[in-house]
Amino acid sequence: MSFDSRYSEYVRIVESTLADFLAHSPAEHLLEPVRYALTSGGKRIRPVLVMLCCGAAGGNPVDARWAAITVEMLHNFTLVHDDIMDKADKRRGRDSVHVKWNEDTAILAGDAIIPLACLAMLKTESHSRLDEMLAAVSNGIIEVCEGQALDLKFERSKNVSIPEYTRMIELKTARMLVMGARLGALAADADTRTMDLLCDFASKVGIAFQIQDDILDIAAESTVTGKRRGGDVIEGKKTFLVLRALENVHGEADRALLQRFIDQHGLPAEEVDAMYDLFVRTGALRDAEQAVAALTDEARRDLEDLPPSEYVDLLRAYAAMLLNREF
Amino acid sequence: MSFDSRYSEYVRIVESTLADFLAHSPAEHLLEPVRYALTSGGKRIRPVLVMLCCGAAGGNPVDARWAAITVEMLHNFTLVHDDIMDKADKRRGRDSVHVKWNEDTAILAGDAIIPLACLAMLKTESHSRLDEMLAAVSNGIIEVCEGQALDLKFERSKNVSIPEYTRMIELKTARMLVMGARLGALAADADTRTMDLLCDFASKVGIAFQIQDDILDIAAESTVTGKRRGGDVIEGKKTFLVLRALENVHGEADRALLQRFIDQHGLPAEEVDAMYDLFVRTGALRDAEQAVAALTDEARRDLEDLPPSEYVDLLRAYAAMLLNREF
């Protein structure tokens, strides 16, 4: 079976498991916003990772379906609360929860999704390692919150180093994927080494995914990403590219452009091309590409150390899809 | 040992367990607001209940200390988020988290307390019934969020019935105590009947506690409650007394006073005495006292059905303390 059709099959399982769970949800007054947040049609990359990791660890991916929706639910909890903090009015083309309802409801719906995700996890048929699953989920939520706290701090900060930025995206983006890999491995009752390899794979792919996202934002046509080209530049986001450019910048004109970007918290759309050229000139774009390539190599080696299987091959294809490159 | 000295002993155990947990907490960037929220010097009534229920179910209360701080942490998570929604700038005489830091930090710190509470629960030495503990915690959080959602809805609503109000305080106030009773009983590996009796006890005491709070707000001197007398009237809260008065009111003057209370979302301090007289005249105060008495009777009967023990006696004294009456 091709990767694409397998991916679609798993997404169908995720959707039906989620629908089944929501149909019997104990939430009543908050069910509407919770359901809205959970059925907004994302790509479901996290729950698919859970299922693939379960397979790669020797289990049946379907046994990980409850753990899969646990991770997807927790991801959506972070989106609901992040959208409040980021004052993001839209999410996947629809009003954010705090716009469609109000901030109070968005806070409460996000809160309620955490315990709902735990109840979903409890539906796992064999949860002999529930203590490890709960530890993975708890640590993952804490790390994602820490990552968002760092992200908010960086927005107000003048000096952010590349290691600090990498740490932030590791916490904010990668740790949710690591949680998924760990839950998938636990659902397969994996040994420590297998679990460590899968978690390291997920971590490297997660960090690379975010840096790749920073690159694509300005380097790819909006027809590819589905987003406005240079959105990060316009919004004033301190991405990997900006931070590296700040480190490497020479010449008054480039320095002035970057300073204006910082001081004005972003630049008008007309200046996206100028920033792109600056990212090329300062080597920021090349360095970002190299960082993604290095992380991709490490993730590839993790897979090579696992017992070969159909699922390891699928994880390879999964990483290639996510990173938009050969893997 | 007297109830008071036992209570103090348990509070000391709770404080040291919490301090121990926070000293090794995985939260880093959010630790300061989390610690601030968790060490604000509340009366610790919930964790003490957990320990007493563990004893009453035949266990050693000290074995329930991690479950005890789990419930205390979750209670404080609700306070941090509720204070944002209620725009409450003070909490126990200090700035609320969202005032001392900001709303974003308060959202994140509250979020992080949920998984931290789960990690505390995992420290329980023998968690053979972890699945039931996690279900109790998850359902409890959902119910408290539902209660807060109902409370916010009632604030905007003209017509709230007494059963709706009772349901709201059952969810918002009592279910956290029920969660505590359940965790304490599970830590003692209690049978179903013992657990049900303890949970019902906690539920009845919790609802009675809230109605008693409504009564004391206007009927007791501020020297007793430590709060400004009639605060609920001034803030326009739709308490049990208000809802019952609305049902029973006769005469134009009383009707007009209540209507002003509703329309203006509260009354000036000079009118607290007039509202008190109205609550007496309409029988609202008497009905509230009777509701508390009936709930107290039911809670007492739950204790009588448990195997007699030192801890059942302590639970009786605990309820008497909480409800400020003979039990």
Side-chain angles (χ1 to χ4, degrees):
Chain A
M1 201 185 272
S2 76
F3 172 74
D4 285 352
S5 47
R6 186 61 69 103
Y7 193 96
S8 308
E9 180 198 334
Y10 286 180
V11 168
R12 273 195 302 277
I13 294 172
V14 166
E15 298 295 350
S16 71
T17 307
L18 193 55
D20 179 19
F21 179 78
L22 289 173
H24 305 96
S25 160
E28 185 185 337
H29 305 289
L30 292 167
L31 187 57
E32 239 193 299
V34 164
R35 183 188 296 274
Y36 181 84
L38 295 177
T39 54
S40 65
K43 289 197 296 290
R44 309 299 196 193
I45 60 172
R46 290 158 195 81
V48 170
L49 177 68
V50 177
M51 295 178 74
L52 289 175
C53 286
C54 179
N60 180 350
V62 178
D63 292 343
R65 69 193 184 285
W66 296 107
I69 68 163
T70 300
V71 177
E72 181 65 12
M73 291 168 81
L74 291 174
H75 169 60
N76 281 280
F77 137 71
T78 67
L79 298 183
V80 172
H81 280 190
D82 284 2
D83 283 347
I84 302 173
M85 299 179 227
D86 300 341
K87 306 197 186 343
D89 291 350
K90 294 282 176 185
R91 165 70 59 187
R92 296 172 191 143
R94 305 186 311 170
D95 286 343
S96 309
V97 174
H98 67 98
V99 171
K100 191 165 167 73
W101 283 270
N102 51 55
E103 277 198 21
D104 293 349
T105 302
I107 292 174
L108 285 170
D111 290 345
I113 292 174
I114 301 178
L116 285 168
C118 291
L119 290 178
M121 183 172 73
L122 277 170
K123 289 189 173 279
T124 306
E125 280 78 3
S126 149
H127 49 56
S128 58
R129 293 170 77 176
L130 179 60
D131 50 348
E132 291 172 82
M133 295 181 99
L134 181 55
V137 160
S138 302
N139 284 313
I141 300 171
I142 294 165
E143 287 161 345
V144 174
C145 291
E146 296 264 301
Q148 171 72 357
L150 269 186
D151 199 5
L152 294 172
K153 186 179 150 200
F154 289 172
E155 274 179 26
R156 295 184 301 268
S157 160
K158 293 266 166 195
N159 289 305
V160 180
S161 69
I162 295 277
E164 285 173 323
Y165 178 75
T166 309
R167 174 70 181 153
M168 184 276 285
I169 61 178
E170 181 187 356
L171 289 167
K172 186 169 166 169
T173 305
R175 288 305 174 93
M176 195 63 98
L177 292 172
V178 173
M179 183 207 290
R182 195 177 295 278
L183 289 190
L186 282 167
D189 197 15
D191 57 48
T192 308
R193 181 171 155 73
T194 301
M195 188 138 66
D196 288 348
L197 286 168
L198 288 168
C199 289
D200 192 71
F201 165 79
S203 178
K204 297 291 153 45
V205 168
I207 301 171
F209 177 60
Q210 187 58 56
I211 300 176
Q212 182 70 7
D213 203 57
D214 293 353
I215 297 170
L216 290 178
D217 178 76
I218 193 152
E221 288 308 314
S222 58
T223 47
V224 175
T225 58
K227 297 177 194 165
R228 180 174 55 168
R229 177 166 167 262
D232 290 346
V233 170
I234 296 163
E235 287 168 31
K237 278 203 198 159
K238 299 199 190 86
T239 64
F240 186 101
L241 298 170
V242 170
L243 300 176
R244 181 62 91 200
L246 279 166
E247 289 179 351
N248 290 359
V249 67
H250 293 295
E252 276 318 298
D254 280 359
R255 209 180 294 275
L257 183 62
L258 274 172
Q259 197 56 51
R260 262 202 303 122
F261 169 85
I262 301 281
D263 294 343
Q264 299 170 15
H265 305 285
L267 293 172
E270 309 81 88
E271 302 199 75
V272 166
D273 285 331
M275 277 294 265
Y276 177 80
D277 294 342
L278 184 149
F279 290 150
V280 172
R281 254 192 322 275
T282 53
L285 204 60
R286 178 204 60 214
D287 289 354
E289 293 281 6
Q290 281 179 357
V292 174
L295 288 159
T296 303
D297 276 348
E298 292 180 63
R300 188 184 294 117
R301 277 199 295 277
D302 287 327
L303 293 187
E304 283 164 5
D305 287 345
L306 285 166
S309 75
E310 172 196 3
Y311 296 107
V312 172
D313 292 339
L314 288 168
L315 279 175
R316 209 169 272 120
Y318 173 89
M321 171 200 77
L322 222 56
L323 302 179
N324 202 20
R325 58 173 59 212
E326 294 295 312
F327 193 87
Chain B
M1 202 186 270
S2 76
F3 172 73
D4 286 354
S5 47
R6 187 59 71 102
Y7 193 96
S8 307
E9 180 199 333
Y10 286 180
V11 169
R12 274 195 303 276
I13 294 172
V14 166
E15 298 295 350
S16 71
T17 307
L18 193 55
D20 180 21
F21 179 78
L22 289 173
H24 306 95
S25 159
E28 185 186 338
H29 305 289
L30 291 167
L31 187 57
E32 240 194 298
V34 164
R35 183 188 294 275
Y36 181 84
L38 295 177
T39 54
S40 65
K43 289 197 295 292
R44 309 301 197 192
I45 61 174
R46 290 158 195 82
V48 170
L49 177 69
V50 177
M51 295 179 74
L52 290 176
C53 285
C54 179
N60 179 351
V62 177
D63 292 343
R65 68 192 183 287
W66 296 109
I69 68 164
T70 300
V71 177
E72 182 64 11
M73 292 168 81
L74 292 173
H75 169 59
N76 280 281
F77 137 71
T78 66
L79 298 183
V80 172
H81 280 190
D82 284 2
D83 283 347
I84 302 173
M85 299 178 226
D86 300 341
K87 304 193 190 343
D89 291 349
K90 295 283 177 184
R91 165 69 58 187
R92 296 174 190 141
R94 304 185 313 171
D95 285 343
S96 310
V97 175
H98 68 97
V99 171
K100 191 165 168 74
W101 282 270
N102 51 57
E103 276 197 22
D104 294 348
T105 303
I107 292 174
L108 285 170
D111 289 346
I113 293 175
I114 300 178
L116 285 168
C118 291
L119 290 178
M121 183 171 73
L122 278 171
K123 288 187 174 279
T124 307
E125 281 78 3
S126 150
H127 48 55
S128 58
R129 293 169 77 175
L130 180 60
D131 51 347
E132 289 172 82
M133 294 181 100
L134 181 55
V137 160
S138 303
N139 284 313
I141 300 171
I142 295 164
E143 288 162 343
V144 173
C145 291
E146 296 264 300
Q148 172 70 359
L150 269 186
D151 198 5
L152 294 171
K153 186 178 150 201
F154 289 172
E155 273 179 27
R156 296 184 301 268
S157 160
K158 294 266 168 197
N159 289 306
V160 180
S161 70
I162 294 277
E164 285 173 323
Y165 178 74
T166 309
R167 174 70 181 152
M168 184 274 285
I169 61 176
E170 182 187 356
L171 289 167
K172 186 170 166 169
T173 304
R175 289 305 173 94
M176 195 63 97
L177 292 172
V178 173
M179 182 207 290
R182 195 176 295 277
L183 289 189
L186 283 167
D189 197 17
D191 58 49
T192 307
R193 180 171 157 72
T194 302
M195 189 138 66
D196 287 349
L197 287 168
L198 287 168
C199 289
D200 192 71
F201 165 79
S203 179
K204 296 292 154 46
V205 168
I207 301 171
F209 177 60
Q210 187 58 55
I211 300 177
Q212 182 71 6
D213 203 57
D214 293 353
I215 297 171
L216 289 179
D217 178 76
I218 193 154
E221 290 306 315
S222 57
T223 47
V224 175
T225 57
K227 297 177 195 164
R228 181 174 55 169
R229 180 168 165 259
D232 289 347
V233 170
I234 296 164
E235 287 169 31
K237 278 202 199 159
K238 298 201 190 86
T239 64
F240 186 100
L241 298 170
V242 170
L243 301 175
R244 181 62 90 199
L246 280 167
E247 288 180 354
N248 290 0
V249 66
H250 293 298
E252 275 320 299
D254 281 358
R255 210 179 294 275
L257 182 63
L258 272 171
Q259 197 56 50
R260 263 203 303 124
F261 169 86
I262 300 281
D263 293 343
Q264 301 170 15
H265 304 285
L267 292 172
E270 311 80 88
E271 301 200 74
V272 167
D273 284 331
M275 276 294 265
Y276 177 79
D277 294 342
L278 183 149
F279 289 151
V280 172
R281 254 191 325 272
T282 54
L285 204 59
R286 181 203 58 216
D287 288 354
E289 293 281 6
Q290 282 179 357
V292 174
L295 289 159
T296 303
D297 276 349
E298 292 180 64
R300 188 184 293 118
R301 277 200 294 279
D302 287 324
L303 294 188
E304 283 164 5
D305 287 345
L306 285 166
S309 76
E310 173 197 2
Y311 295 106
V312 172
D313 292 340
L314 288 168
L315 280 174
R316 208 169 272 121
Y318 173 89
M321 173 200 75
L322 222 57
L323 302 178
N324 202 21
R325 59 172 58 213
E326 295 293 315
F327 192 87

